[in-house]
Amino acid sequence: QVRLVESGGGSVQAGGSLRLSCAASGYTNSGFCMGWFREAAGKEREGVAAIHSDGATNYADSVKGRFTISRDSAKSTVFLQMNSLKPEDTAKYYCAAGLRCWVTRANPLKQLAYNAWGQGTQVTVSS
């Protein structure tokens, strides 16, 4: 069973940076496809970024140029570097892992493409 644990959330002023981490255990999938989602108060969960087995990445338009998704060499940890943070980035951020990477490749920022989820970490950006 895949277990995902996020860390690195916190409070920061607008223009600041945070780096989220997601440690995966039990992820024995032959491929590697993971993503970050966020859910702001009163809004639906939305895809933020995804990374695939070949290192290809996808980003939501709202974070392009500011956020970077990456992974460690062992592929057991995924990171989300968030720069130039804005108040509208305030949300609970969730890490997700896909078990069928061909599905994740086709739908990188869709919840339906992922099978395991972390508990989330809160990010608050003040103006």
Side-chain angles (χ1 to χ4, degrees):
Q1 186 175 353
V2 178
R3 182 169 181 258
L4 305 174
V5 179
E6 303 98 333
S7 61
S11 297
V12 65
Q13 289 191 327
S17 299
L18 284 173
R19 189 190 195 206
L20 305 183
S21 298
C22 174
S25 59
Y27 191 38
T28 58
N29 207 42
S30 58
F32 183 90
C33 41
M34 296 185 69
W36 285 97
F37 288 72
R38 65 185 181 187
E39 188 172 332
K43 295 187 178 182
E44 292 187 357
R45 192 173 297 189
E46 62 175 355
V48 174
I51 188 165
H52 307 282
S53 299
D54 60 359
T57 57
N58 303 92
Y59 295 96
D61 288 343
S62 58
V63 306
K64 280 180 182 176
R66 300 189 298 122
F67 290 12
T68 303
I69 188 171
S70 62
R71 64 190 181 196
D72 72 355
S73 58
K75 303 180 182 179
S76 61
T77 303
V78 174
F79 306 97
L80 186 67
Q81 178 67 43
M82 305 185 295
N83 298 329
S84 301
L85 282 162
K86 304 175 181 180
E88 50 263 45
D89 294 318
T90 295
K92 194 165 188 179
Y93 284 71
Y94 297 87
C95 176
L99 299 181
R100 293 178 292 275
C101 287
W102 60 94
V103 176
T104 310
R105 173 82 66 170
N107 304 277
L109 300 180
K110 298 291 187 183
Q111 294 185 61
L112 60 86
Y114 296 86
N115 308 96
W117 295 83
Q119 81 290 348
T121 184
Q122 180 67 36
V123 171
T124 302
V125 185
S126 58
S127 57

